[in-house]
Amino acid sequence: MKLKDFFKENNKAAIAFSGGVDSAYLLFAAKQSGAEVKAYYVKSVFQPQFELEDALRFAKEWDIELEVICTDVLGKKEIALNPPDRCYYCKKTIFSEIINAARNEGFSLLLDGTNASDDVKDRPGIRALQELQVRSPLRECGLTKQEIRTLSREAGLFTWDKPAYACLATRIMPGTNITEEMLLKTEQAENFLFDLGIRDFRVRMLGDAAKIQVPADQFKKVLEERERIVTELKRYYRCVLLDLEGRG
């Protein structure tokens, strides 16, 4: 099935919008098809500010109605305690809120940006979406991540080369109770590295240490900026480590 055919069959839908490559292209394709769609962005302490800014910018550029829903994910102990299946409870919470908001607006179908490259096996978050009957048109139509980037570039979407970005909670080891302070310092540390021109990286917490993970081809950049990075990150962490295995 082609994406345009999907929206011919499903011409009214709510779309969970993260501000990333996949859900941005899904929104664009829905809009271009003439379908009646509305985007929903859920803002929590797990999402950095730039994701919301990108979502707002995209919706404005393409004249797409966007509703921002604020939620307290850390108010749920099954999320804050950070068990191995934390993502299940988080996705269940976030998408349930979108479903409730969308139903009030007359939308009975909710879509997300899972694509054909995503490994859905044994992923707690995917299980939550399946339970909530959220559909993933990009995956159903066989569109891979690279194809979506190519199509996004051809369409002139500014999101086309945006690095994949998992929520801030993934920087904290499972079993470690998540606090807002941990998430804030993670966001500040990653914002600093981004401003240095480093891309596709993570700053993970190991106790009170920061472990920086970057692709191997960016080691040189990190080492060139070593002193600045150490000085800045030691404002938030006791020590700063570089993962020499590199980020794949």
Side-chain angles (χ1 to χ4, degrees):
M1 177 187 291
K2 299 289 186 181
L3 202 52
K4 63 180 180 180
D5 296 324
F6 177 91
F7 285 112
K8 284 182 181 178
E9 294 181 7
N10 304 277
N11 58 10
K12 183 176 181 179
I15 297 181
F17 186 32
S18 68
V21 180
D22 301 323
S23 56
Y25 183 71
L26 181 62
L27 265 177
F28 169 79
K31 179 78 174 181
Q32 294 300 105
S33 75
E36 180 185 351
V37 293
K38 181 175 179 179
Y40 292 84
Y41 180 97
V42 177
K43 176 63 177 153
S44 76
V45 291
F46 285 178
Q47 280 72 44
Q49 181 63 24
F50 77 82
E51 292 280 41
L52 174 58
E53 292 170 356
D54 282 355
L56 293 170
R57 174 187 168 187
F58 188 91
K60 182 178 180 180
E61 286 186 4
W62 295 100
D63 191 27
I64 295 169
E65 186 178 2
L66 171 64
E67 181 174 333
V68 178
I69 301 170
C70 295
T71 189
D72 178 19
V73 287
L74 294 182
K76 296 182 177 294
K77 67 178 183 178
E78 60 267 34
I79 298 175
L81 291 175
N82 198 19
D85 59 350
R86 178 206 69 248
C87 193
Y88 168 79
Y89 297 105
C90 190
K91 290 285 189 185
K92 195 78 175 281
T93 297
I94 288 172
F95 278 78
S96 292
E97 293 210 18
I98 295 176
I99 287 170
N100 290 335
R103 282 177 178 165
N104 289 335
E105 298 290 334
F107 294 96
S108 59
L109 175 64
L110 177 59
L111 312 176
D112 90 311
T114 303
N115 66 60
S117 299
D118 291 325
D119 182 5
V120 300
K121 296 178 181 177
D122 301 320
R123 285 181 58 182
I126 295 296
R127 178 162 57 91
L129 301 188
Q130 291 171 340
E131 290 178 5
L132 293 171
Q133 297 183 314
V134 177
R135 293 186 66 179
S136 305
L138 300 176
R139 183 172 182 80
E140 291 181 30
C141 295
L143 287 170
T144 65
K145 188 75 168 188
Q146 188 54 53
E147 288 172 327
I148 293 164
R149 288 193 184 278
T150 299
L151 291 167
S152 297
R153 183 179 67 245
E154 292 171 351
L157 310 186
F158 76 85
T159 51
W160 78 269
D161 64 343
K162 187 174 178 179
Y165 193 90
C167 83
L168 293 169
T170 61
R171 315 301 194 266
I172 301 168
M173 293 284 289
T176 301
N177 190 42
I178 301 173
T179 67
E180 189 169 351
E181 180 185 8
M182 290 177 180
L183 299 167
L184 179 59
K185 70 182 183 181
T186 298
E187 182 175 0
Q188 291 171 326
E190 293 196 347
N191 283 345
F192 179 77
L193 293 187
F194 184 79
D195 288 343
L196 291 178
I198 299 169
R199 289 172 61 84
D200 196 20
F201 63 87
R202 299 286 185 266
V203 178
R204 301 195 185 277
M205 289 188 64
L206 289 178
D208 56 1
K211 182 175 75 170
I212 300 172
Q213 293 179 317
V214 297
D217 62 3
Q218 293 192 59
F219 283 169
K220 182 179 179 181
K221 175 69 173 176
V222 172
L223 294 176
E224 287 173 349
E225 300 285 359
R226 185 186 67 83
E227 290 188 13
R228 293 178 65 189
I229 292 172
V230 170
T231 298
E232 176 65 19
L233 267 61
K234 287 193 76 171
R235 295 174 55 198
Y236 317 113
Y237 304 91
R238 182 180 59 82
C239 62
V240 182
L241 314 173
L242 175 62
D243 186 344
L244 293 179
E245 291 188 12
R247 175 173 164 75

